[in-house]
Amino acid sequence: MKTLMQCTIKKPVFCEGIGLFTGQKVKLCFQPAKVNDGITFIANGARISASISNVLTQYRRNAIGKDGIIIETIEHLMAALNGLGITNIDIEIYSDSQSATYEIPNTDGSAKLFVDLLLKAGIEEQRAPRRVLRINAPVNYRDGECSIIALPAADDSLTVDYTFSHSAVIIGNQHLSVELVQDNFISEIAPARTFCMADEVASLQAQGIGKSANYQNVLVVDNDKIVQNTLRFKDEFVRHKILDLIGDLYLLNASLFAKIAAVKTGHRQNVEFVRKLVGLL
């Protein structure tokens, strides 16, 4: 097998945006990092490694935290890093808010902007092999109707086979299998957007959740239609579930080689599955 090398970006890049849940405006600065530095979020002087040991899973999103600083909704950015094979990067976060909680911008609800930005920065191979986890025997996780299993891969690859179903007519039963290579990720998974049900909107915002949500950055599903928007893919919902899973799996701090079969998982199930995988490293 070819040895996969660690990678960082060639030059700094910047973006600004608003967090979906907090409505907080932030600026991100992506900086190259040294070999073995890993993925590090930097806010208010705190350096927080994007690893399973720092995870603080929140409602409908993933967060990490350390020393009183919390970074929320990291999954789409983590998916972009995983899909592009970036292993070492510093992500500086700035906000005018006095809060100790920071949130990654939602952009359009997908990972596309992050992918485009990181490709603009350029990806540079480094002189050290990646940390990898090869699955040699089945690893199972089940939580009610949600499940994930990792099986050995015939070669050094990651394939995600995902099944998702919902009573909404426009969603129904969706299934997709995709190999996580860069081209597939960029074209087939990264553009898939987050979604919610129309009858959830009022209650979520009444709880102070989704302060910056609108019909352009969240797909709002009203049974047989999308409200004031159109789908990028007929099966965009299952593609976005794969996007979230790819982001959550990168909390492993390693490149995973396996065949993953997942059914109706959310961030909590994904994280618990990663906790099982960490024990195999």
Side-chain angles (χ1 to χ4, degrees):
M1 301 291 183
K2 180 183 177 181
T3 300
L4 286 178
M5 308 303 285
Q6 296 181 33
C7 292
T8 190
I9 55 175
K10 292 181 179 179
K11 62 181 182 181
V13 286
F14 308 84
C15 72
E16 293 182 340
I18 298 175
L20 176 66
F21 291 90
T22 62
Q24 178 191 58
K25 184 176 181 179
V26 297
K27 180 177 181 179
L28 301 184
C29 176
F30 299 87
Q31 299 275 6
K34 295 181 292 184
V35 164
N36 298 324
D37 274 2
I39 298 165
T40 306
F41 290 85
I42 304 167
N44 198 28
R47 295 181 60 89
I48 308 174
S49 172
S51 64
I52 195 69
S53 60
N54 290 325
V55 167
L56 307 167
T57 302
Q58 305 279 29
Y59 178 63
R60 298 180 79 132
R61 67 231 193 244
N62 249 336
I64 54 175
K66 183 181 178 182
D67 299 332
I69 304 296
I70 298 172
I71 314 293
E72 290 194 350
T73 322
I74 64 171
E75 54 268 14
H76 300 168
L77 175 52
M78 291 293 290
L81 296 169
N82 195 356
L84 296 178
I86 296 171
T87 57
N88 302 306
I89 192 169
D90 282 351
I91 305 160
E92 300 171 0
I93 309 176
Y94 303 95
S95 172
D96 291 335
S97 170
Q98 299 303 307
S99 173
T101 297
Y102 298 77
E103 185 178 12
I104 301 303
N106 182 56
T107 68
D108 67 350
S110 78
K112 186 178 186 303
L113 181 144
F114 297 127
V115 167
D116 292 345
L117 190 67
L118 293 166
L119 289 175
K120 179 181 177 182
I123 300 172
E124 181 173 74
E125 195 171 89
Q126 297 173 292
R127 295 184 178 180
R130 291 189 200 181
R131 189 185 193 206
V132 301
L133 174 59
R134 294 177 175 88
I135 298 299
N136 296 314
V139 180
N140 293 279
Y141 175 81
R142 179 175 292 278
D143 178 18
E145 62 180 358
C146 307
S147 65
I148 316 178
I149 182 170
L151 299 169
D155 53 11
D156 280 354
S157 65
L158 174 62
T159 300
V160 177
D161 185 284
Y162 202 106
T163 300
F164 181 62
S165 62
H166 196 277
S167 58
V169 171
I170 199 169
I171 300 178
N173 299 308
Q174 298 192 356
H175 173 264
L176 183 66
S177 182
V178 61
E179 183 179 355
L180 186 60
V181 295
Q182 188 175 112
D183 288 349
N184 287 352
F185 176 77
I186 291 171
S187 62
E188 303 299 322
I189 302 301
R193 294 161 294 175
T194 194
F195 60 93
C196 75
M197 303 301 120
D199 59 7
E200 295 179 297
V201 173
S203 63
L204 289 174
Q205 294 196 331
Q207 298 172 56
I209 299 172
K211 291 181 179 179
S212 75
N214 58 55
Y215 294 123
Q216 277 61 60
N217 61 22
V218 176
L219 293 175
V220 178
V221 179
D222 188 3
N223 191 34
D224 61 348
K225 65 181 182 294
I226 303 297
V227 181
Q228 297 181 33
N229 210 324
T230 57
L231 292 174
R232 291 175 176 169
F233 309 93
K234 185 177 180 179
D235 58 352
E236 189 164 356
F237 308 100
V238 71
R239 290 172 191 259
H240 188 78
K241 298 294 283 187
I242 292 174
L243 176 70
D244 281 346
L245 177 57
I246 289 171
D248 293 342
L249 286 174
Y250 218 33
L251 294 164
L252 187 63
N253 276 346
S255 294
L256 177 64
F257 298 138
K259 292 182 178 179
I260 302 290
V263 179
K264 298 182 70 173
T265 62
H267 293 297
R268 184 174 62 81
Q269 290 85 14
N270 296 343
V271 165
E272 291 305 315
F273 182 66
V274 172
R275 293 191 198 281
K276 295 192 73 169
L277 294 180
V278 166
L280 302 177
L281 285 168

